[in-house]
Amino acid sequence: MGFIEEIKRSFCLDQGIAEPVYRAVIFGDGGAYVENVKAIIKYSCEEVLLSLKSGGLKISGSELYIKKYCAGDVVVCGKITTIQRT
Amino acid sequence: MRKDNDNSKDLGLYCVYEVYGLNTERFMNAVKKRGVTLYDIKKYSNKRLRLAVKFTESQKFFAIAEELCYNIKKVGEKGRAKQMFCLFSSLGLIIGAIAFILIAVLANDFILDINYYGSGKIYHREVQEYLSGKGVEEYKRFSDIDLAMIEDGILADNEHLSFASCTKHGNKLLIELVLSSEKVKGLNGNVYQMHSTENGVVESVKVYRGTAVVSVGDMVREGDLLVDGYAVIKDQTIKINVLASITLAVEKTYEYKLVGDDEQENAEIFALAEVGDEDIISTQVQKIPLEGEYLYKVTVKYRRVLYAG
């Protein structure tokens, strides 16, 4: 069984449910890469609020800056303390 | 990470802009929606944002900003190709600088002036003649001459100099000349007559001031008047000091009594030592046997230059 299929099974996503609406990869405390972002709602050095296809994602920390923003992908760098779903 | 969807070429060069306006997030979303990737986005205040865009997407970015009525200002460039970009953007300057350097290098190779200095400077005309013969003149090239060889040549050509140095100083050729340690007699201006100090035949007469009373070929004795201190100007006789040089061909005989019968050479050496540093014309040695020894008669003919002044 493939790796992705195993992940889906552990998260109970293998029963006809659509692909995950976003994917977030966190690199220690130094950065986060988020896929399938619709737009940036708010951006400041302490908080980045992203709009996803359903819902939103809030990244909190300090000295935050956006390393790259292109179609659907956002890379946020800085001292990340919290990532929470909104 | 997904591959970039934009097809723009990555030259390794990014343009950095500052965006001014309210709701900068709206601006970022609009730009992203139109396919322009934004890099290194930093917010400095509610109305000021700094970001970077690929060089190839700059024009598109400008157009979007204008359409959205945001003020943008280009801050600079960054990336690994930044130096090349700066180079090509001021190509005219680079070409001008290269042309200037080439001209300066070439022009520096030409001799524009030759300066003489030092105690031997009084012989600069002789040195100049020698240099002209060796092709060292103004508007010739330094790279065509060997300065060390020139220095040796100047010394060999002029016996009055003990040191010569040639150095390049920009476009000037500086030549230092030092007189030899021989004492050079000075003129005192108090001589009103010139008398002969030797017996001989006059070979040359050079009178700069005064009146010569002998001519070439005359036989003179020691003490004879050679140049008198007067000049005739418009039927008037004026007393002046003498400045002249006369060359005499002098003949002297030296006798040596020696025991050996093969001492001609030694006798000649003794005689020449007595004559000194004169210009020798000829020597003749005669051997006369005496009782138990020999008499060597050495006749030396030489030139003696007499000076007055």
Side-chain angles (χ1 to χ4, degrees):
Chain A
M1 192 180 293
F3 175 68
I4 298 296
E5 280 70 30
E6 270 208 49
I7 300 282
K8 279 184 189 175
R9 209 155 54 84
S10 348
F11 284 104
C12 300
L13 294 173
D14 57 347
Q15 290 155 18
I17 298 179
E19 288 286 331
V21 292
Y22 77 97
R23 184 185 295 174
V25 179
I26 301 158
F27 305 98
D29 291 334
Y33 163 65
V34 185
E35 270 186 20
N36 286 336
V37 171
K38 240 174 68 176
I40 296 173
I41 305 296
K42 187 186 170 191
Y43 166 47
S44 69
C45 292
E46 289 81 31
E47 189 179 81
V48 177
L49 193 58
L50 304 173
S51 164
L52 307 172
K53 280 181 184 165
S54 69
L57 194 72
K58 182 174 161 185
I59 301 173
S60 306
S62 62
E63 296 170 17
L64 297 179
Y65 68 95
I66 298 171
K67 183 75 180 168
K68 185 176 178 181
Y69 183 34
C70 62
D73 297 346
V74 171
V75 179
V76 179
C77 295
K79 291 174 188 163
I80 296 173
T81 53
T82 321
I83 296 181
Q84 67 184 78
R85 195 83 162 80
T86 59
Chain B
M1 189 176 287
R2 279 193 293 202
K3 284 183 186 174
D4 278 343
N5 288 332
D6 60 294
N7 295 322
S8 58
K9 290 180 190 172
D10 185 7
L11 302 176
L13 182 66
Y14 299 83
C15 297
V16 181
Y17 296 96
E18 279 195 355
V19 181
Y20 302 90
L22 291 169
N23 202 354
T24 49
E25 289 83 0
R26 172 184 162 251
F27 175 77
M28 288 193 292
N29 292 328
V31 170
K32 175 221 66 167
K33 204 171 175 181
R34 283 162 172 78
V36 176
T37 305
L38 303 174
Y39 299 87
D40 296 332
I41 305 167
K42 281 183 189 166
K43 201 163 188 179
Y44 288 95
S45 70
N46 280 341
K47 294 183 189 175
R48 187 175 150 224
L49 191 74
R50 182 176 282 200
L51 49 82
V53 169
K54 279 186 186 175
F55 177 76
T56 47
E57 293 181 325
S58 297
Q59 245 180 347
K60 196 172 169 185
F61 177 78
F62 255 110
I64 296 167
E66 207 173 5
E67 188 192 321
L68 295 173
C69 300
Y70 279 87
N71 292 326
I72 61 170
K73 183 177 97 174
K74 187 172 179 184
V75 173
E77 290 87 17
K78 67 176 193 176
R80 57 180 184 272
K82 184 184 173 187
Q83 279 77 22
M84 289 298 291
F85 175 78
C86 290
L87 202 68
F88 282 111
S89 63
S90 49
L91 196 61
L93 183 67
I94 303 292
I95 291 171
I98 291 170
F100 173 78
I101 289 166
L102 278 172
I103 290 168
V105 166
L106 282 172
N108 197 38
D109 193 33
F110 285 91
I111 302 172
L112 297 183
D113 193 17
I114 301 177
N115 283 349
Y116 302 89
Y117 66 101
S119 60
K121 191 180 164 185
I122 53 172
Y123 292 105
H124 77 273
R125 283 201 180 85
E126 288 87 346
V127 174
Q128 197 171 15
E129 248 182 70
Y130 169 77
L131 291 177
S132 295
K134 293 293 173 187
V136 180
E137 291 173 316
E138 286 178 6
Y139 308 113
K140 299 290 181 188
R141 296 177 67 168
F142 279 103
S143 52
D144 291 338
I145 59 176
D146 184 344
L147 291 179
M149 266 182 64
I150 296 295
E151 287 171 1
D152 294 338
I154 290 172
L155 284 177
D157 188 64
N158 194 313
E159 60 183 4
H160 302 290
L161 300 173
S162 65
F163 174 78
S165 158
C166 299
T167 48
K168 178 182 179 300
H169 188 73
N171 287 105
K172 285 187 189 175
L173 176 60
L174 302 180
I175 300 178
E176 186 184 3
L177 305 167
V178 177
L179 281 175
S180 65
S181 56
E182 271 183 24
K183 200 174 172 187
V184 177
K185 292 178 187 170
L187 301 173
N188 56 33
N190 292 329
V191 177
Y192 292 96
Q193 282 184 331
M194 181 182 182
H195 295 270
S196 173
T197 56
E198 307 268 3
N199 299 337
V201 176
V202 176
E203 264 200 1
S204 76
V205 177
K206 287 180 191 171
V207 177
Y208 303 101
R209 271 210 303 272
T211 304
V213 296
V214 296
S215 48
V216 174
D218 287 352
M219 179 75 189
V220 296
R221 307 194 75 78
E222 187 179 338
D224 284 353
L225 181 66
L226 300 173
V227 180
D228 206 354
Y230 72 89
V232 178
I233 300 170
K234 291 184 181 176
D235 298 328
Q236 272 194 321
T237 302
I238 301 168
K239 190 180 174 185
I240 53 174
N241 55 332
V242 167
L243 182 62
S245 133
I246 291 187
T247 305
L248 299 178
V250 179
E251 192 174 295
K252 276 190 177 174
T253 303
Y254 301 89
E255 292 180 356
Y256 304 98
K257 278 184 187 171
L258 298 166
V259 176
D261 68 343
D262 193 25
E263 301 280 1
Q264 287 95 324
E265 202 175 310
N266 288 336
E268 192 178 345
I269 291 169
F270 293 147
L272 290 175
E274 286 197 59
V275 168
D277 289 333
E278 302 295 344
D279 182 15
I280 306 296
I281 302 171
S282 65
T283 56
Q284 198 179 4
V285 183
Q286 191 184 5
K287 184 173 79 175
I288 302 168
L290 294 174
E291 295 168 2
E293 55 187 9
Y294 295 89
L295 176 68
Y296 290 92
K297 279 189 176 176
V298 182
T299 304
V300 180
K301 209 171 174 182
Y302 59 90
R303 284 189 188 90
R304 168 65 64 88
V305 180
L306 305 176
Y307 295 98

